[in-house]
Amino acid sequence: MAAASTQGPRAPKLAQLLERDPYLAPFEQDFQRRYALFYNRLKSIEENEGGLDKFSKSYKTFGVNQFVDGGVYCKEWAPGAEAVFLTGDFNGWNPFSHPYKKMEYGKWELFIPPGQDGYSPVPHGSKLKVVIRAQNGELLYRISPWARYVVRDQDKVNYDWVHWNPPQSYIRKYRSPERLKSLRIYESHVGIASPEGKIASYKNFTFNVLPRIKDLGYNCVQLMAIMEHAYYASFGYQVTSFFAASSRYGTPDDLKEMIDVAHSMGITVLLDVVHSHASKNSEDGLNKFDGTDSCFFHSGPKGTHQLWDSRLFDYSNWEVLRFLLSNLRMWIEDYGFDGFRFDGVTSMLYHHHGIGTGFSGDYNEYFGLHVDEDALCYLMLANHMVNFLHPECITIAEDVSGMPALCRPVAEGGGGFDYRLAMAIPDKWIQIIKELKDEDWNMGNIVYTLTNRRYEEKCIAYAESHDQALVGDKTLAFRLMDAEMYTNMSVLSPLTPVIDRGIQLHKMIRLITHALGGDSYLNFMGNEFGHPEWLDFPRKGNNESYHYARRQFNLTDDHLLRYRFLNAFDRDMNKSEERFGWLASPPAFVSEKHESNKVIAFERAGLVFIFNFHPYQSYTDYRVGVEIPGKYKILLDSDASEYGGHQRLDHNTEYFSEEYPHNYRHNSLMQYNSQTSFSQQPRRCHKHHIKVYIPSRVAIVLQNMDNAK
């Protein structure tokens, strides 16, 4: 399809965006052009396809779909094909008995009438292939791009397309949860969600993992590797069948049940959707479906990602837009997903795909000819569609570049995403731990990294995700404790300095990231309790071993191991956020980032967060500024015994504020020991006080009891 005209109406709310960020004013024409491209494509869809609603429901007509009367309707887009046929078990694999009729615009259709007594001519569970006669006369046996279920027999290399049309499909029992004000995301992979060295199932996740997620206080699960991928070790990022839920974990109905059970627990379910590229597989993938290299993708070098060795979509193509928008719609409406985390957005946004490019934050990096505005237009269309048809759904962008307005409404000329991942935060923690001694940690630099974001665009903070768990890298726990995790994590063995340091810093890093780093929080499964090993899928390089392709939940369930301390802290951290809602509150006010003391203090959601990162120095008379006067008590203490701490704080202690300006706050904290007699209690009007005690390597959260929830 030719590039759409950029003539169109102005983005109706662009002025609001430019008023909030005047530095974007020089790029006003770029925003107008992007919005015009979006508007004209949307208008064209409305005029030529009967509306976005109908257009994005194309998964109900493309592929193989059964009519109510039992007949089967088949439709494909194969512009490079000379002829198209359907073959399979239903016709004894005769390649030519069921030819498609050629239509306009490279489409092909076939209707197979119902059999006797209204039976479907293509039974549920039968195998199928689309036969393509290429322009050179070669016959190609292909899986439909719209196939809903593909399986691989153990003795085969390639996947087979299986017609999925059970007599009674799974019927949802529960509604999706209401849209969350703040997300506490448990990033998950179904296949590794078991201590056993095998591919775990949807059923296992439903009955064994979802209750664990609920208990930990996460209100959202983000599922990776659901879209079918032939190569398990690709972590799901080399998709071969975009409309098929991976069969290695079970059936489509098993996945539907899993999502439904999650909804019954009040858990929102997001799909890690890969629309940034596709596997190069042609036998069981989308590549060269019609015998050409341009079907769905750019032809030539432009259509191949140099680093990922995968194919790149042509987002200006009408049928590609139909395919991808319908794909999102199907996952929402057929399976019940509540939104998407879009993978590889940086690769989509720029013609250079982020390869060999660093992003300094200079606004010129986000505008100009190097931006793929067709891809950006697709993302705007996708977010507009999801928001228009399913406003309860959530979209997240994985973008390392930091493109301004990506998470602002389309009406402002923005990308329309709800959240972006704060990808600089995990990199900062890795850099600090790898390169610096504890006494050299820079408090200002930590605070800057955690707070350096566009506050009108919501961020998801995380200390580590699946990226940091992969083989060749290390989780935070492994970086902190390394080999001693194999020998010294038992409570029956002495607490070594390495394990003690690792446990204490692991908790502190997660809490400060959770409370200061963004508007939502993410954790990769198992990392909440300091999973001891990286993640490595079975492949030739490890003799197809599943030893590292699993999550050892048994470690945290063993009360003789110290992993349970980290697990308990993670749970109570989430439960505290659920109660006080700091993620949905305005950004924190940081009142202290003291370099020599290694103390960081800030307020958010009426709570006071205090971190002493000093490796050995405790402070007995430390004044911490607060805005809200009153009596404070400890809400969360990383030094508590149940979290593997040293129990240096008395939780009966009460802290009273006094009218004494400190660190730009109107009040500061004083401490009152509850064991003192009533007559000796300090009163705010008399300014009697005992300063706050902050042990080394401790994080404390204080609650104002005068405003207790």
Side-chain angles (χ1 to χ4, degrees), residues 84-96:
V84 180
F85 309 88
L86 186 70
T87 189
D89 293 335
F90 78 99
N91 67 358
W93 293 96
N94 185 325
F96 306 118

Side-chain angles (χ1 to χ4, degrees), residues 186 193-196 198 200-215 258 261 265 525 553 557:
Y186 198 75
S194 163
E196 299 179 66
K198 65 177 185 179
S201 66
Y202 294 123
K203 292 282 189 183
N204 168 72
F205 200 94
T206 301
F207 297 109
N208 295 325
V209 184
L210 283 177
R212 187 182 296 275
I213 295 171
K214 177 68 174 176
D215 178 67
M258 187 180 98
V261 171
M265 298 178 176
M525 64 187 308
F553 293 119
D557 296 334

Side-chain angles (χ1 to χ4, degrees), residues 86-94 97-98 121-129 156 160-163:
L86 186 70
T87 189
D89 293 335
F90 78 99
N91 67 358
W93 293 96
N94 185 325
S97 63
H98 288 76
V122 183
H124 167 65
S126 59
K127 292 183 178 179
L128 297 172
K129 287 280 189 182
K156 290 187 177 181
D160 291 318
W161 172 20
V162 175
H163 182 53

Side-chain angles (χ1 to χ4, degrees), residues 280-331:
K280 289 183 74 172
N281 286 19
S282 55
E283 292 285 334
D284 53 7
L286 199 59
N287 190 26
K288 298 183 179 179
F289 172 67
D290 65 352
T292 72
D293 79 332
S294 59
C295 187
F296 292 100
F297 309 110
H298 290 290
S299 61
K302 188 178 180 181
T304 301
H305 196 289
Q306 297 174 14
L307 294 184
W308 297 343
D309 193 31
S310 54
R311 297 304 314 274
L312 296 170
F313 288 105
D314 179 359
Y315 300 104
S316 68
N317 189 292
W318 188 270
E319 294 303 321
V320 170
L321 293 179
R322 181 198 307 278
F323 182 79
L324 296 178
L325 291 173
S326 297
N327 189 234
L328 298 175
R329 188 85 182 270
M330 187 275 298
W331 289 114

Side-chain angles (χ1 to χ4, degrees), residues 20-270:
R20 275 193 305 270
D21 187 353
Y23 289 102
L24 290 174
F27 308 101
E28 179 177 0
Q29 292 303 313
D30 294 84
F31 283 110
Q32 296 289 13
R33 185 178 62 254
R34 293 171 180 183
Y35 182 82
L37 184 61
F38 156 78
Y39 179 88
N40 288 328
R41 291 228 168 119
L42 180 62
K43 183 179 179 182
S44 188
I45 290 171
E46 298 288 341
E47 292 173 348
N48 296 292
E49 293 283 349
L52 186 60
D53 183 19
K54 184 178 179 181
F55 186 63
S56 60
K57 275 186 177 177
S58 293
Y59 68 93
K60 292 182 178 290
T61 54
F62 278 74
V64 174
N65 291 279
Q66 186 169 310
F67 286 161
V68 176
D69 66 0
V72 171
Y73 180 70
C74 312
K75 193 174 185 180
E76 299 294 346
W77 178 63
E82 291 293 319
V84 180
F85 309 88
L86 186 70
T87 189
D89 293 335
F90 78 99
N91 67 358
W93 293 96
N94 185 325
F96 306 118
S97 63
H98 288 76
Y100 285 67
K101 175 185 174 183
K102 191 171 185 178
M103 304 167 66
E104 290 184 304
Y105 309 114
K107 297 171 192 170
W108 303 78
E109 68 175 352
L110 165 66
F111 176 69
I112 309 175
Q116 293 181 348
D117 301 323
Y119 285 112
S120 171
V122 183
H124 167 65
S126 59
K127 292 183 178 179
L128 297 172
K129 287 280 189 182
V130 174
V131 182
I132 303 285
R133 180 180 287 145
Q135 294 171 353
N136 62 3
E138 183 182 3
L139 287 182
L140 306 172
Y141 286 77
R142 296 289 192 246
I143 292 175
S144 169
W146 305 79
R148 307 292 284 277
Y149 189 54
V150 296
V151 300
R152 181 171 63 188
D153 296 332
Q154 287 187 346
D155 59 341
K156 290 187 177 181
V157 174
N158 295 321
Y159 275 75
D160 291 318
W161 172 20
V162 175
H163 182 53
W164 184 261
N165 184 37
Q168 181 61 56
S169 188
Y170 182 83
I171 299 174
R172 265 181 265 169
K173 302 179 182 65
Y174 302 95
R175 296 182 62 181
S176 295
E178 292 185 6
R179 187 182 175 98
L180 298 167
K181 293 181 180 179
S182 60
L183 300 172
R184 299 184 299 275
I185 303 171
Y186 198 75
E187 186 185 28
S188 305
H189 186 293
V190 170
I192 66 169
S194 163
E196 299 179 66
K198 65 177 185 179
I199 298 177
S201 66
Y202 294 123
K203 292 282 189 183
N204 168 72
F205 200 94
T206 301
F207 297 109
N208 295 325
V209 184
L210 283 177
R212 187 182 296 275
I213 295 171
K214 177 68 174 176
D215 178 67
L216 281 167
Y218 291 93
N219 58 13
C220 179
V221 58
Q222 179 180 299
L223 294 173
M224 311 173 62
I226 295 297
M227 302 165 78
E228 190 60 272
H229 48 293
Y231 186 43
Y232 190 42
S234 75
F235 223 138
Y237 292 122
Q238 294 278 347
V239 176
T240 45
S241 291
F242 284 76
F243 286 82
S246 182
S247 61
R248 53 171 58 86
Y249 319 127
T251 69
D253 281 357
D254 291 341
L255 175 57
K256 291 176 183 179
E257 178 189 35
M258 187 180 98
I259 295 170
D260 199 31
V261 171
H263 288 166
S264 76
M265 298 178 176
I267 297 174
T268 293
V269 186
L270 304 180

Side-chain angles (χ1 to χ4, degrees), residues 495-516:
L495 180 64
T496 66
V498 169
I499 296 298
D500 185 31
R501 171 181 179 267
I503 286 178
Q504 309 318 326
L505 287 178
H506 194 273
K507 293 177 290 187
M508 296 179 71
I509 287 170
R510 300 182 107 66
L511 179 59
I512 197 170
T513 301
H514 201 303
L516 188 58

